[in-house]
């Protein structure tokens, strides 16, 4: 720690009343040492100027004006310099400060006795005026410097607060994106598997011959339905604070499409192909589209067949999943269209388009088109 820094810390520990008392005592000593004549009002005016310094922080301009009469009758320096410094530290009016400097210098000049030689008197008066102007300017410049330093410190604190606020907002945004990612993956992956379990359990319940097997299948199906319902609630809560998000890793690609279609539990056909230049984000989005569409077919269109068509059009690639009308009533599985909403968000993020809706034949069609090099 430097000596200047240590002295500053020591000075800051001194309470303001003690500083004022010390300054008043120093000004009084200055007035006593410079008292040499029997001026009118005697030491009353310097004493008033010294005592007024105690209120310089609240009334800096008034205190400075009170030091001017004392300057006219006596060669005091501490009181007017301290008053000028305090006024400059607190005032932002440069014209007022300039006027106060001029008044202080004039008061010092008027107090000095003039020589009898007129030409010499005028020359020395001008020199003395310039000297006093420099003397009065010094505390003003110092006070303005302290004011600028205080303003800069305050501005730095505001900047630091703003940066801290930005860091908090960034952390909240990251958390929201992670929540959105988690909601999307929960819906795309977990619901895909749980709905398949529920459908298989429903089929087992119908096909089982003994009561124990049917009861076990019924229990599995009931638990699967409850899990899907709770999952839907959790996804809704997570998505409430989420936004556009990037993908979690690792993620499936188009190379996994054939296995996805084969293990979907429905009669589905995969046609078409993509060029090798399709970017990874586009592959992920198309894979999730097929996954969500097949999951919805299992849940809402039992017995339906599906066609997964991969296609490309210029610089864009897409997938169309179309299913036929269901051949039997669907199971009462919960759903809130969160998957379709997630697919639309994926398409928007990648500057693509997403469409979904029923067909004239009673089935349903899902279509996504995105740039092949989307990132």
């Amino acid at each position: 720690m430097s000596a200047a820094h240590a002295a500053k810390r020591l000075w800051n520990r001194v309470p303001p009343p003690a500083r004022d008392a010390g300054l008043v005592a120093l000004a009084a000593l200055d007035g006593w040492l410079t008292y040499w004549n029997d001026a009118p009002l005697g030491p009353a005016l310097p004493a008033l100027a010294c005592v007024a310094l105690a209120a310089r922080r609240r009334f800096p301009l008034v205190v400075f004006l009170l030091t001017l009469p004392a300057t006219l009758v006596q060669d005091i320096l501490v009181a007017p310099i301290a008053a000028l410094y305090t006024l400059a530290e607190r005032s932002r009016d440069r014209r007022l400060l300039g006027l106060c400097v001029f008044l202080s210098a004039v008061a010092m000049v008027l107090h000095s006795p003039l020589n009898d030689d007129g030409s010499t008197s005028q020359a020395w008066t001008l020199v003395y005026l310039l000297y006093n102007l420099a003397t009065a300017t010094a505390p003003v410049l110092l006070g303005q410097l302290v004011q600028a330093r205080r303003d800069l410190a305050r501005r730095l604190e505001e900047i630091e607060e703003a940066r801290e606020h930005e860091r908090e907002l960034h952390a909240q945004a990251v958390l929201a994106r992670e929540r959105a990612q988690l909601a999307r993956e929960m819906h795309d992956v977990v619901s895909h598997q749980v709905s398949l379990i529920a459908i298989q359990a429903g089929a087992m319940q119908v096909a089982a011959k003994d009561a124990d097997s049917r009861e076990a299948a019924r229990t599995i199906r009931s638990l699967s339905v409850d899990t899907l319902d709770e999952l839907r609630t959790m996804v809704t809560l997570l998505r409430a604070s989420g936004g556009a998000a990037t993908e979690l890793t690792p993620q499936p690609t188009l190379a996994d499409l054939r296995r996805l279609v084969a293990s979907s539990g429905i009669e589905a056909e995969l046609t078409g192909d993509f060029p090798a230049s399709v970017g990874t984000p586009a592959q992920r989005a198309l894979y999730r589209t097929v996954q969500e569409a097949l999951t919805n077919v299992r849940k809402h269109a039992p017995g339906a067949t599906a066609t997964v068509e991969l296609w490309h059009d210029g610089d864009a690639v897409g997938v169309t999943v179309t299913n036929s009308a269901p051949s039997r009533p669907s199971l009462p599985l919960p759903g809130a269209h969160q998957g379709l909403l997630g697919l639309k968000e994926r398409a928007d993020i990648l500057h693509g388009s997403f469409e979904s809706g029923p067909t004239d034949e009673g089935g349903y069609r899902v279509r996504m088109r995105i740039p092949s090099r989307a990132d």
Side-chain angles (χ1 to χ4, degrees):
M1 181 184 300
S2 64
H5 186 63
K8 180 181 177 181
R9 290 188 59 184
L10 181 62
W11 174 255
N12 290 333
R13 293 180 181 178
V14 180
R19 300 179 195 174
D20 293 339
L23 182 60
V24 170
L26 181 61
L29 178 62
D30 175 55
W32 178 71
L33 292 176
T34 57
Y35 181 70
W36 55 271
N37 60 355
D38 296 330
L41 300 179
L45 293 178
L48 176 62
C50 294
V51 174
L53 290 177
R56 73 188 191 283
R57 290 189 176 89
R58 295 188 61 185
F59 309 104
L61 181 58
V62 175
V63 171
F64 167 73
L65 294 177
L66 289 177
T67 63
L68 291 180
T71 306
L72 287 170
V73 301
Q74 194 168 331
D75 289 330
I76 60 173
L77 286 177
V78 174
I81 288 178
L84 273 174
Y85 167 78
T86 305
L87 179 61
E89 183 191 7
R90 283 162 170 73
S91 176
R92 299 183 184 277
D93 191 343
R94 300 293 175 82
R95 290 179 295 181
L96 174 63
L97 294 177
L99 177 61
C100 291
V101 168
F102 179 76
L103 291 177
S104 179
V106 170
M108 292 179 184
V109 170
L110 291 178
H111 167 69
S112 301
L114 303 180
N115 296 330
D116 294 335
D117 185 353
S119 60
T120 304
S121 174
Q122 292 178 2
W124 278 105
T125 299
L126 180 59
V127 171
Y128 197 55
L129 177 62
L130 294 177
Y131 170 78
N132 288 321
L133 282 173
T135 303
T137 301
V140 171
L141 293 178
L142 181 60
Q144 289 284 280
L145 179 62
V146 172
Q147 182 186 103
R149 182 179 181 277
R150 184 172 58 245
D151 293 343
L152 179 60
R154 186 182 302 112
R155 180 57 179 165
L156 290 176
E157 291 178 0
E158 293 175 356
I159 292 175
E160 184 60 29
E161 291 177 359
R163 287 180 177 176
E164 182 64 25
H165 183 61
E166 288 182 2
R167 285 192 288 266
E168 292 178 358
L169 292 179
H170 178 69
Q172 294 176 3
V174 171
L175 178 60
R177 287 197 299 268
E178 291 178 350
R179 288 166 66 98
Q181 291 172 348
L182 180 59
R184 183 173 297 158
E185 296 308 313
M186 287 178 62
H187 185 277
D188 290 346
V189 179
V190 180
S191 65
H192 175 81
Q193 304 296 334
V194 175
S195 62
L196 183 58
I197 294 173
I199 292 173
Q200 297 294 341
M204 183 184 298
Q205 182 180 358
V206 175
K209 297 181 178 179
D210 58 289
D212 292 340
S213 298
R214 286 196 300 271
E215 180 62 23
R218 189 196 65 79
T219 301
I220 294 174
R221 175 178 170 276
S222 177
L223 292 176
S224 300
V225 171
D226 293 341
T227 301
L228 283 174
D229 190 51
E230 293 177 2
L231 177 63
R232 182 193 65 181
T233 302
M234 293 175 62
V235 167
T236 302
L237 293 176
L238 288 173
R239 290 177 63 89
S241 64
T246 55
E247 300 289 344
L248 294 176
T249 55
Q251 291 289 325
T253 63
L254 295 178
D256 304 307
L257 266 182
R258 296 193 179 279
R259 183 176 58 184
L260 173 66
V261 174
S263 61
S264 62
I266 61 176
E267 184 180 347
E269 179 185 4
L270 177 63
T271 63
D273 202 353
F274 287 137
S277 59
V278 178
T280 302
Q283 294 188 41
R284 295 171 183 168
L286 296 174
Y287 179 93
R288 293 306 185 193
T289 302
V290 175
Q291 184 184 52
E292 175 64 22
L294 295 180
T295 299
N296 289 338
V297 173
R298 290 198 309 268
K299 291 169 60 175
H300 306 298
T305 60
T307 301
V308 179
E309 180 186 1
L310 309 178
W311 48 271
H312 57 90
D313 179 16
D315 293 334
V317 293
V319 61
T320 303
V321 182
T322 307
N323 63 273
S324 62
S327 60
R328 59 179 184 270
S330 62
L331 296 173
L333 297 178
H337 303 287
Q338 295 286 353
L340 297 180
L341 179 61
L343 294 179
K344 189 177 188 313
E345 288 182 353
R346 289 178 186 271
D348 292 340
I349 292 172
L350 299 176
H351 308 289
S353 61
F354 176 78
E355 302 173 359
S356 62
T359 63
D360 297 336
E361 294 77 15
Y364 203 84
R365 178 180 293 110
V366 172
R367 182 179 185 272
M368 176 179 282
R369 180 182 187 274
I370 53 179
S372 60
R373 297 186 180 275
D375 51 19

